[in-house]
Amino acid sequence: MESPEDNNNNVRQPLLDTPAKKAADEVERLSIDDMLQRYCGEFGQWQMKHFVLTCLAWALEAFHTMVMIFADQEPNWRCVGSDCPVGSSYCDMDPGSWEWTEGKGSSTVSEWGLVCGEKYKIGLVQALFFAGCMIGAGVFGHLSDSKLGRKGSLTVVCIINAIFGIATAFSPNYWVYVALRFLTGFSTGGVGLTAFVLATEPVGPSKRGVAGMSTFYFFSTGIALLSGIAYVFRSWRELFIVSSLPSLFFLLIVIPFISESPRWYLVRGKVDEAMELMHTIAKTNGRHIPAGVTLSLDDEEDKEGERNNVVEGSLKDVLNSPLTRIRLILAIAISFTVSIVYYGLSLNVGNLKTNLYLNVFLNAVTEMPAFAITAVLLDRYGRKPLTIGTQWFSCVFCITGFVVGGVGPWKTVRMVSGVLGIFGMAGTYNLLFIYIAELFPTVVRNAALGCATQAAQMGAILAPFVVVLGEGLPFGVFAVCGLVGGGLAFYLPETLNKPMYDTMFGMHEAESNRGRDQVC
């Protein structure tokens, strides 16, 4: 016979299993990658629109960076009168015995006399532009990971680019021009990395590699378009205005249709905003997220009840962790060597003394097959083998360019070696953004990318000094950089088909579990 106490328990038991409790027990918590794969779609109509609109910012970066090739070029000159010795230099001639073919307003060199003893000033303004990029990459890398967000950071850098880019056209003298180019570089340093992360974070893991590789088509297309713009607008002042206006158009026409990253919402504790965006992605892609499915961080299981807390990270966290510290050091070193080779070979091609506008156009077009081939091989062979292989591919041809002479048919061999060298390194430069983004969790991803970008800008600053060493010796330096960079990549882990972690804790737990599984 049941006691009264047992009867009371039986009566109370069904009351405990309320619908609210059952619903709570049935809530399915998924990471963003899992939700994209199962319910939203990895690269549907929503991601395609968002990707294209965001990546237009890469063309803006190309405009603001490569405009120096045309604005600071040394124009053609001619003698005035009949007294013009063959092979003479205007540095050895009287000021009134020669003139610029297209007038003084065609470039900064002709307007401010940046020739002969003043020629170093061309390199100075270029170096300070990249120095601004280096500082800006670190600043906006941190801001986009913290309160400003990805979209907010992209908006700010485009505002600064538009203002200082247009203001540069009205520089009254060289030193004002230098200051404005430095400030433009400061904002330009944040454009590419912010646009890259914002464009690729809403993409599913199996499509992220190809999507990431495709961002650089926009950069190369921007360079190609700039060569046409520069051909039409021969005055350097007009060129700065025309090449800066697209940043203003981007702010007014494109930015309003770009969404914030759901990953940034999640790590900032804005779960409702993240879920609202994920529902929008699913609906636009013709999919549906069932009731009871919600987002979670990858460390949430170990921190129950902290769903709406803000999870933050900084470079200090990266450096304090042995796992991420070595990854950051390797990423910085490889980015530095790759940048020296990439920009060095690009500048070296400019010494061919051919049509400048056609030369820049062909250089931009040549990079595109490298992007396509690397994108095809990326998900088949992985990030690590391609990072090693593309750098060593470039190294082989740089060695060839160093060994062969620069006269007769060997001059053509050296030129082809340079083209194939930049072909390989363009693939590496592209791949590194994807690789580095996958090596670090969301809370520090842009900060880590910012550090790597700063290292790349430092390489860009040093590249011109390598080029002036002569015709053959630079190839030797580039070969060493390619060899060393490829060797360092051996120490990086493979990230193919691995999840993009949200927090430092989640990454450490997953890596620890993987290590234990391998031991077992």
Side-chain angles (χ1 to χ4, degrees):
M1 177 179 291
E2 295 181 347
S3 65
E5 184 177 348
D6 293 335
N7 288 332
N8 289 337
N9 289 338
N10 290 337
V11 171
R12 287 196 298 265
Q13 187 66 33
L15 297 177
L16 296 175
D17 296 329
T18 61
K21 181 177 183 299
K22 288 183 178 180
D25 292 338
E26 294 173 1
V27 169
E28 184 180 14
R29 302 189 189 281
L30 299 175
S31 68
I32 287 181
D33 278 350
D34 289 337
M35 189 174 287
L36 288 170
Q37 289 178 310
R38 295 175 60 177
Y39 299 118
C40 299
E42 294 191 71
F43 196 78
Q45 181 180 343
W46 189 95
Q47 284 100 332
M48 174 62 79
K49 175 187 174 183
H50 180 264
F51 180 83
V52 172
L53 291 178
T54 306
C55 287
L56 290 175
W58 277 94
L60 305 180
E61 180 178 1
F63 286 174
H64 289 289
T65 302
M66 298 303 179
V67 68
M68 69 177 68
I69 297 177
F70 304 101
D72 300 337
Q73 66 170 302
E74 183 178 321
N76 294 325
W77 62 278
R78 64 192 173 199
C79 293
V80 177
S82 57
D83 186 16
C84 188
V86 178
S88 59
S89 169
Y90 49 66
C91 294
D92 301 324
M93 300 172 64
D94 295 331
S97 61
W98 65 278
E99 64 181 7
W100 299 109
T101 305
E102 298 183 17
K104 288 186 176 182
S106 60
S107 80
T108 59
V109 173
S110 56
E111 179 154 337
W112 293 316
L114 307 181
V115 295
C116 304
E118 299 289 307
K119 195 171 185 178
Y120 74 93
K121 290 183 176 179
I122 303 173
L124 177 62
V125 67
Q126 180 179 1
L128 289 175
F129 172 84
F130 284 117
C133 290
M134 183 176 65
I135 298 171
V139 171
F140 289 106
H142 172 73
L143 289 176
S144 63
D145 281 335
S146 55
K147 295 183 180 180
L148 202 54
R150 277 70 160 124
K151 181 179 178 180
S153 296
L154 185 60
T155 303
V156 170
V157 294
C158 287
I159 291 173
I160 299 174
N161 263 348
I163 293 174
F164 290 119
I166 294 174
T168 303
F170 300 95
S171 301
N173 56 59
Y174 171 79
W175 293 110
V176 173
Y177 174 69
V178 169
L180 290 172
R181 285 299 287 162
F182 173 81
L183 293 171
T184 306
F186 174 76
S187 56
T188 301
V191 173
L193 69 92
T194 304
F196 177 87
V197 173
L198 183 57
T200 56
E201 281 191 337
V203 178
S206 70
K207 307 295 183 183
R208 193 177 299 126
V210 174
M213 294 294 289
S214 301
T215 59
F216 290 85
Y217 286 108
F218 293 85
F219 185 79
S220 296
T221 301
I223 299 174
L225 289 173
L226 180 63
S227 64
I229 294 172
Y231 183 79
V232 174
F233 297 93
R234 298 297 182 95
S235 166
W236 71 271
R237 294 184 185 274
E238 293 177 356
L239 180 59
F240 268 107
I241 294 175
V242 175
S243 62
S244 299
L245 284 176
S247 293
L248 186 60
F249 298 150
F250 185 82
L251 280 168
L252 299 176
I253 301 173
V254 179
I255 285 285
F257 297 98
I258 294 177
S259 300
E260 182 55 87
S261 167
R263 296 181 189 274
W264 182 81
Y265 277 141
L266 189 59
V267 299
R268 297 298 297 177
K270 301 181 179 182
V271 182
D272 293 339
E273 288 88 339
M275 277 304 302
E276 182 180 354
L277 181 54
M278 296 301 284
H279 278 290
T280 301
I281 295 173
K283 182 178 180 181
T284 306
N285 292 345
R287 308 284 287 272
H288 174 69
I289 300 176
V293 177
T294 188
L295 288 169
S296 69
L297 292 170
D298 43 29
D299 66 346
E300 194 171 293
E301 294 179 0
D302 299 280
K303 297 184 178 181
E304 196 65 35
E306 298 184 8
R307 273 184 88 227
N308 294 310
N309 283 1
V310 176
V311 181
E312 294 185 333
S314 65
L315 278 179
K316 182 179 179 181
D317 299 315
V318 177
L319 295 173
N320 285 339
S321 165
L323 176 67
T324 53
R325 180 170 61 240
I326 186 62
R327 292 184 179 185
L328 182 64
I329 292 172
L330 290 171
I332 288 173
I334 294 170
S335 298
F336 177 74
T337 57
V338 167
S339 183
I340 290 177
V341 182
Y342 177 78
Y343 284 104
L345 287 173
S346 297
L347 294 174
N348 218 32
V349 173
N351 292 329
L352 297 177
K353 301 299 182 182
T354 56
N355 185 292
L356 180 64
Y357 307 95
L358 180 62
N359 225 2
V360 174
F361 176 81
L362 291 177
N363 286 345
V365 173
T366 301
E367 295 179 1
M368 295 184 183
F371 301 155
I373 294 172
T374 311
V376 170
L377 300 178
L378 186 66
D379 290 328
R380 179 175 299 181
Y381 297 105
R383 282 66 164 149
K384 181 176 178 177
L386 280 181
T387 303
I388 298 168
T390 50
Q391 289 185 83
W392 284 0
F393 177 91
S394 179
C395 174
V396 168
F397 288 100
C398 287
I399 291 174
T400 304
F402 174 68
V403 173
V404 301
V407 294
W410 297 113
K411 186 176 182 179
T412 303
V413 173
R414 176 174 285 174
M415 182 189 70
V416 173
S417 297
V419 172
L420 293 175
I422 198 171
F423 174 87
M425 205 53 71
T428 313
Y429 207 92
N430 187 356
L431 169 63
L432 276 181
F433 268 82
I434 302 165
Y435 202 0
I436 296 172
E438 294 177 343
L439 285 170
F440 298 92
T442 302
V443 291
V444 295
R445 182 168 299 125
N446 256 22
L449 270 173
C451 285
T453 303
Q454 284 179 301
Q457 300 300 343
M458 182 61 73
I461 292 172
L462 294 179
F465 298 101
V466 177
V467 172
V468 299
L469 294 176
E471 295 183 2
L473 189 55
F475 280 99
V477 177
F478 301 149
V480 171
C481 289
L483 182 65
V484 171
L488 291 174
F490 268 104
Y491 297 95
L492 288 173
E494 179 56 71
T495 59
L496 177 62
N497 295 327
K498 303 288 177 61
M500 287 184 77
Y501 300 104
D502 297 315
T503 63
M504 295 288 289
F505 181 86
M507 169 176 278
H508 281 97
E509 283 294 295
E511 293 295 332
S512 298
N513 293 335
R514 184 176 297 114
R516 285 194 293 267
D517 293 340
Q518 290 175 351
V519 171
C520 295

